[in-house]
Amino acid sequence: MMRRANASVQLLLIGKAAGTRAEAGGIRFSALMIAAFLLPLGLALPMLAAATLQGRDERAAGFTFTSAEEVDPGASTVLVVDDLDALPNSRQFQVLYLTPLGEDAPLPPGIGRWPQPGEVLLSPKLAELGASFDIDERYGTVVGTINTAELVDPDQLFAYVVPAQPIDRSVADRAPLVEVTAWGTDCDPVASANWLLLKQDYFDLGFYAITVFLVTIPAGVLAFAATRVASHARDRREVLIRLLGGRPRHTVLVALGESWAPVAIGTGAALLGLLALGWTNLDLPYVDFTLSARDVRNAWPWTFGGLAVSFTALMSMTLLVSTGRLQGRAPVTAGGARRHRAVTSLAWGFPICFVIAAWGPSLFPFQSPFFFLLNYIGQLGLIITVAPAVALACAWLAGVAGRLRWVRWRPSLLSSAARVAAYPQATARQLTAVIAAFFVVFFSLAYHSNWTSWVEEDRAAVAPLGGSMAEVRPSNAVFTETETDQFLDRLPTDLSVLAVHVDQGYDDGSESIEMVGDCEALAAFSLECPEGSDTITGTVPDDRLAHWVGLHFPLEAPEISIVSGSATRVPSMVDPENRTTTVLLISTFDGSPIPESDMRIAGTVFQFGVMIDAPGLAETGTTQSEEQSHWIIAFGTIALAVLALASVLGASGEFLRHGRALAPIGVLTGGLRTFRAASAVTVFGPLLVGSAVGVGVGIAASDSLMRPGTTLVRAGIIAPTLLVLFTVTAVMWWWASSVAIREAGRWRPGRGD
């Protein structure tokens, strides 16, 4: 028994030593270590996503409320008006205006005491981002921040405002007034005061799909590739075990000794990473999201289980590969010929699938059932056929290169080109996962564009306006004489102001617009100053004004009455029955963007501030669509990097194993540097060609899914993914060729290599 135990230990030690001394030992060690690090993180990511979404819902449930309409309203309640606001080029966010009634008025989540009238509490992220936009003067006096632990997200934009002029129940006629008796009484987050943030983000299933397809599955592919990195020395060792009468147990012990250290190191690093994520919040760059440490800790039982599954799966794959080789599972000539024919057949199907995906859907109405059916069939066919087509093209190019005189004088290049030409199935196997990842990324972005392209269309339409004109009105209120005078007095003096009354004919069918302003203000809108009043019919002379009129009357512009006077008349133009619209149109004289921050500060004279709509100034309320596309690009870049690593790992191992045949030539001629070029042909070249084809074909095929006029060809989408892809490939190419040079330098005649 002791002898058997000693033999097992010896076999483990042999495996440990042999694993680092084989020609691809360092690459395989690093590959297993990286796979052991990324696989548990890939498994943990969907679990962290689930924990984050659940945590958000739980925290949002704390903002649900019981209104006085549902229970007997007592003396201690809170009058709440929910309003929306935004920072330039940022999401819309909610502002809750609060007036407590009674000594025991329930405190909303995240604050320890009631602010005084005129005081404001901001979320930490809003206070940080809004510092450059005078957010501390927009609602009142900022006296503190909301407790981050109570917010839905650590980086949520949110504000509590106790207005200087207390809210009374009469505002219910013009504002969404709720009388709250208790907070956190409903477990349904949809009923939360944070409804806007929850509505803006991905639905759960979509986010899970992105994490699984673009992170978890690529990590599994890398793990599979890492366990199969080829090695000539390992092949010889396993044959020796076989000839000496070794059993599968002996091979398993050697393989275990070779693999346990890198797998343990990678798994330990992943464990430390998960512990660190649970220790403090993590700010994720590019996607602008903060991962809550509390949510990570809630997911620890599942993520630690994923660590165990990952370690077991990697070790099992490593041992199964070794025992499979020992039992003689090796490719035969007939099987190789069949695979060659299969690759050729699939390659010829590529043009058909490309035509179906790129032009087939255009034969049917946009977004009709047959439109999607043809696109999905074409996309699936392309994923299956494009890698064989690229492999066949690389084989043809390698065959052409092999006949060039310049190549024929370089044995290493000649042999590498011959191998690429002879084994297109190996190239197809190397490229399939990477090209499929390109298609998944572009398909996801194209599908996402159907929901977001209207944002770009709107921006393109209003961009010429430059934000030099704004429509302004009190938020959840109407113009009154005192507040209007104060507001106009507090505006910067270099602004022109028109009082505008819009009647869209809901009452008697007659449509009209009345504009009142002094001569200087009228001239800022290219309007002539009449003696008393004048009428405009037909074309509106100012582009900004024409755009604004078109928003209210998209079919035909009504008669516009121009009156010379003061914009302070606007309160007298207000319809008490709210059947018409009364606003102020404010513009700059020189066409520069309006000072939105100054206007909002001036608007604090109104109880709930002012609403400002400035076409072309900055998009707000639509930026969540772009933020969601950032998740696709970020996860897609990770997927491409991981799959590229898996691809070049397999190619590098094969290059090192078969490249040993070039060692005698390199040693005898002294041309060891030719291994750089040979490695480029077998490792870097196919992936370079495959990436170019994947990008071009992926964009062309996905374009048919997008609304007309939109495109995926943007540097912000393509450049990051390609940069990461080529960086990974270049590093592996250099590493593989360096190892080949080192091994060739050790070659000596008579060693049986």
Side-chain angles (χ1 to χ4, degrees), residues 13-26 231 233 237 258 660 742-743 746:
L13 294 175
I14 289 172
K16 181 177 182 298
T20 56
R21 292 175 184 174
E23 76 280 353
S231 169
R237 184 177 68 243
E258 182 183 16
R660 292 177 66 91
R742 184 190 67 205
E743 292 297 318
R746 295 176 179 175

mmCIF file of all heavy atoms in Angstrom, residues 13-26 231 233 237 258 660 742-743 746:
data_model
loop_
_atom_site.group_PDB
_atom_site.id
_atom_site.type_symbol
_atom_site.label_atom_id
_atom_site.label_comp_id
_atom_site.label_asym_id
_atom_site.label_seq_id
_atom_site.Cartn_x
_atom_site.Cartn_y
_atom_site.Cartn_z
ATOM 1 N N LEU A 13 4.373 14.136 -9.194
ATOM 2 C CA LEU A 13 5.545 14.996 -9.331
ATOM 3 C C LEU A 13 6.072 14.990 -10.763
ATOM 4 O O LEU A 13 6.537 16.019 -11.267
ATOM 5 C CB LEU A 13 6.641 14.537 -8.366
ATOM 6 C CG LEU A 13 6.320 14.702 -6.873
ATOM 7 C CD1 LEU A 13 7.429 14.110 -6.012
ATOM 8 C CD2 LEU A 13 6.110 16.175 -6.541
ATOM 9 N N ILE A 14 6.002 13.829 -11.422
ATOM 10 C CA ILE A 14 6.418 13.763 -12.820
ATOM 11 C C ILE A 14 5.541 14.675 -13.666
ATOM 12 O O ILE A 14 6.027 15.421 -14.529
ATOM 13 C CB ILE A 14 6.350 12.303 -13.325
ATOM 14 C CG1 ILE A 14 7.464 11.475 -12.687
ATOM 15 C CG2 ILE A 14 6.456 12.250 -14.845
ATOM 16 C CD1 ILE A 14 7.352 9.987 -12.981
ATOM 17 N N GLY A 15 4.248 14.606 -13.421
ATOM 18 C CA GLY A 15 3.334 15.471 -14.173
ATOM 19 C C GLY A 15 3.604 16.934 -13.920
ATOM 20 O O GLY A 15 3.590 17.752 -14.853
ATOM 21 N N LYS A 16 3.868 17.302 -12.677
ATOM 22 C CA LYS A 16 4.136 18.708 -12.354
ATOM 23 C C LYS A 16 5.394 19.207 -13.057
ATOM 24 O O LYS A 16 5.426 20.302 -13.628
ATOM 25 C CB LYS A 16 4.291 18.868 -10.845
ATOM 26 C CG LYS A 16 4.551 20.296 -10.382
ATOM 27 C CD LYS A 16 4.616 20.363 -8.864
ATOM 28 C CE LYS A 16 4.820 21.803 -8.405
ATOM 29 N NZ LYS A 16 6.084 22.369 -8.898
ATOM 30 N N ALA A 17 6.450 18.374 -13.055
ATOM 31 C CA ALA A 17 7.695 18.784 -13.700
ATOM 32 C C ALA A 17 7.554 18.796 -15.215
ATOM 33 O O ALA A 17 8.017 19.720 -15.893
ATOM 34 C CB ALA A 17 8.823 17.849 -13.275
ATOM 35 N N ALA A 18 6.900 17.776 -15.750
ATOM 36 C CA ALA A 18 6.781 17.678 -17.204
ATOM 37 C C ALA A 18 5.903 18.775 -17.776
ATOM 38 O O ALA A 18 6.107 19.226 -18.905
ATOM 39 C CB ALA A 18 6.212 16.305 -17.580
ATOM 40 N N GLY A 19 4.919 19.214 -17.000
ATOM 41 C CA GLY A 19 4.004 20.227 -17.516
ATOM 42 C C GLY A 19 4.672 21.543 -17.823
ATOM 43 O O GLY A 19 4.237 22.278 -18.708
ATOM 44 N N THR A 20 5.710 21.880 -17.094
ATOM 45 C CA THR A 20 6.390 23.159 -17.336
ATOM 46 C C THR A 20 7.579 23.030 -18.276
ATOM 47 O O THR A 20 8.097 24.044 -18.750
ATOM 48 C CB THR A 20 6.879 23.745 -15.998
ATOM 49 O OG1 THR A 20 7.713 22.773 -15.345
ATOM 50 C CG2 THR A 20 5.705 24.085 -15.102
ATOM 51 N N ARG A 21 8.001 21.783 -18.566
ATOM 52 C CA ARG A 21 9.177 21.597 -19.408
ATOM 53 C C ARG A 21 8.822 21.281 -20.856
ATOM 54 O O ARG A 21 9.695 21.309 -21.711
ATOM 55 C CB ARG A 21 10.042 20.465 -18.843
ATOM 56 C CG ARG A 21 10.677 20.823 -17.509
ATOM 57 C CD ARG A 21 11.428 19.649 -16.926
ATOM 58 N NE ARG A 21 11.952 19.984 -15.591
ATOM 59 C CZ ARG A 21 12.550 19.116 -14.796
ATOM 60 N NH1 ARG A 21 12.709 17.854 -15.196
ATOM 61 N NH2 ARG A 21 12.976 19.495 -13.613
ATOM 62 N N ALA A 22 7.566 20.944 -21.115
ATOM 63 C CA ALA A 22 7.158 20.689 -22.494
ATOM 64 C C ALA A 22 7.252 21.983 -23.288
ATOM 65 O O ALA A 22 7.234 23.091 -22.733
ATOM 66 C CB ALA A 22 5.737 20.137 -22.535
ATOM 67 N N GLU A 23 7.342 21.845 -24.641
ATOM 68 C CA GLU A 23 7.536 23.043 -25.462
ATOM 69 C C GLU A 23 6.362 24.012 -25.334
ATOM 70 O O GLU A 23 6.522 25.220 -25.425
ATOM 71 C CB GLU A 23 7.774 22.657 -26.933
ATOM 72 C CG GLU A 23 6.541 22.220 -27.707
ATOM 73 C CD GLU A 23 6.164 20.775 -27.408
ATOM 74 O OE1 GLU A 23 6.925 20.081 -26.715
ATOM 75 O OE2 GLU A 23 5.105 20.340 -27.881
ATOM 76 N N ALA A 24 5.140 23.489 -25.110
ATOM 77 C CA ALA A 24 3.973 24.356 -24.927
ATOM 78 C C ALA A 24 3.548 24.404 -23.471
ATOM 79 O O ALA A 24 2.430 24.813 -23.163
ATOM 80 C CB ALA A 24 2.809 23.870 -25.797
ATOM 81 N N GLY A 25 4.446 23.961 -22.571
ATOM 82 C CA GLY A 25 4.077 23.891 -21.165
ATOM 83 C C GLY A 25 3.715 25.238 -20.575
ATOM 84 O O GLY A 25 2.728 25.377 -19.845
ATOM 85 N N GLY A 26 4.513 26.247 -20.888
ATOM 86 C CA GLY A 26 4.215 27.572 -20.350
ATOM 87 C C GLY A 26 2.910 28.117 -20.873
ATOM 88 O O GLY A 26 2.125 28.731 -20.134
ATOM 89 N N SER A 231 0.833 19.448 -27.331
ATOM 90 C CA SER A 231 2.243 19.411 -26.924
ATOM 91 C C SER A 231 2.873 18.125 -27.446
ATOM 92 O O SER A 231 2.370 17.027 -27.199
ATOM 93 C CB SER A 231 2.366 19.472 -25.399
ATOM 94 O OG SER A 231 3.688 19.188 -25.007
ATOM 95 N N ALA A 233 5.826 16.952 -26.554
ATOM 96 C CA ALA A 233 6.410 16.226 -25.423
ATOM 97 C C ALA A 233 5.342 15.442 -24.667
ATOM 98 O O ALA A 233 5.590 14.308 -24.222
ATOM 99 C CB ALA A 233 7.116 17.211 -24.482
ATOM 100 N N ARG A 237 5.148 11.401 -24.026
ATOM 101 C CA ARG A 237 5.056 10.861 -22.672
ATOM 102 C C ARG A 237 3.889 9.884 -22.546
ATOM 103 O O ARG A 237 4.000 8.820 -21.927
ATOM 104 C CB ARG A 237 4.907 12.015 -21.672
ATOM 105 C CG ARG A 237 4.890 11.557 -20.219
ATOM 106 C CD ARG A 237 4.806 12.740 -19.277
ATOM 107 N NE ARG A 237 3.537 13.429 -19.364
ATOM 108 C CZ ARG A 237 3.388 14.684 -19.762
ATOM 109 N NH1 ARG A 237 4.450 15.386 -20.132
ATOM 110 N NH2 ARG A 237 2.191 15.251 -19.808
ATOM 111 N N GLU A 258 0.137 17.670 -13.622
ATOM 112 C CA GLU A 258 0.429 18.725 -14.582
ATOM 113 C C GLU A 258 -0.546 19.889 -14.481
ATOM 114 O O GLU A 258 -0.184 21.034 -14.745
ATOM 115 C CB GLU A 258 0.377 18.123 -15.995
ATOM 116 C CG GLU A 258 0.712 19.096 -17.102
ATOM 117 C CD GLU A 258 0.559 18.450 -18.465
ATOM 118 O OE1 GLU A 258 -0.084 17.385 -18.559
ATOM 119 O OE2 GLU A 258 1.079 19.019 -19.438
ATOM 120 N N ARG A 660 8.106 21.803 -34.482
ATOM 121 C CA ARG A 660 9.386 21.185 -34.107
ATOM 122 C C ARG A 660 10.094 20.590 -35.318
ATOM 123 O O ARG A 660 11.308 20.423 -35.323
ATOM 124 C CB ARG A 660 9.150 20.099 -33.059
ATOM 125 C CG ARG A 660 8.689 20.627 -31.721
ATOM 126 C CD ARG A 660 8.422 19.483 -30.770
ATOM 127 N NE ARG A 660 9.649 18.776 -30.443
ATOM 128 C CZ ARG A 660 10.437 19.073 -29.412
ATOM 129 N NH1 ARG A 660 10.139 20.096 -28.639
ATOM 130 N NH2 ARG A 660 11.519 18.368 -29.176
ATOM 131 N N ARG A 742 13.029 29.288 -28.860
ATOM 132 C CA ARG A 742 13.763 28.716 -27.729
ATOM 133 C C ARG A 742 13.897 27.201 -27.870
ATOM 134 O O ARG A 742 14.967 26.623 -27.658
ATOM 135 C CB ARG A 742 13.049 29.060 -26.421
ATOM 136 C CG ARG A 742 13.783 28.595 -25.165
ATOM 137 C CD ARG A 742 12.887 28.769 -23.963
ATOM 138 N NE ARG A 742 11.746 27.868 -24.036
ATOM 139 C CZ ARG A 742 10.581 28.083 -23.431
ATOM 140 N NH1 ARG A 742 10.388 29.194 -22.740
ATOM 141 N NH2 ARG A 742 9.607 27.209 -23.532
ATOM 142 N N GLU A 743 12.790 26.538 -28.247
ATOM 143 C CA GLU A 743 12.834 25.088 -28.401
ATOM 144 C C GLU A 743 13.723 24.675 -29.566
ATOM 145 O O GLU A 743 14.432 23.669 -29.500
ATOM 146 C CB GLU A 743 11.407 24.549 -28.603
ATOM 147 C CG GLU A 743 10.524 24.666 -27.383
ATOM 148 C CD GLU A 743 11.058 23.837 -26.229
ATOM 149 O OE1 GLU A 743 11.509 22.692 -26.467
ATOM 150 O OE2 GLU A 743 11.049 24.334 -25.081
ATOM 151 N N ARG A 746 17.319 24.518 -28.748
ATOM 152 C CA ARG A 746 17.742 23.388 -27.923
ATOM 153 C C ARG A 746 17.878 22.088 -28.730
ATOM 154 O O ARG A 746 18.327 21.083 -28.195
ATOM 155 C CB ARG A 746 16.714 23.162 -26.796
ATOM 156 C CG ARG A 746 16.641 24.300 -25.805
ATOM 157 C CD ARG A 746 15.525 24.024 -24.801
ATOM 158 N NE ARG A 746 15.420 25.078 -23.796
ATOM 159 C CZ ARG A 746 14.477 25.134 -22.866
ATOM 160 N NH1 ARG A 746 13.543 24.187 -22.818
ATOM 161 N NH2 ARG A 746 14.461 26.123 -22.001
#
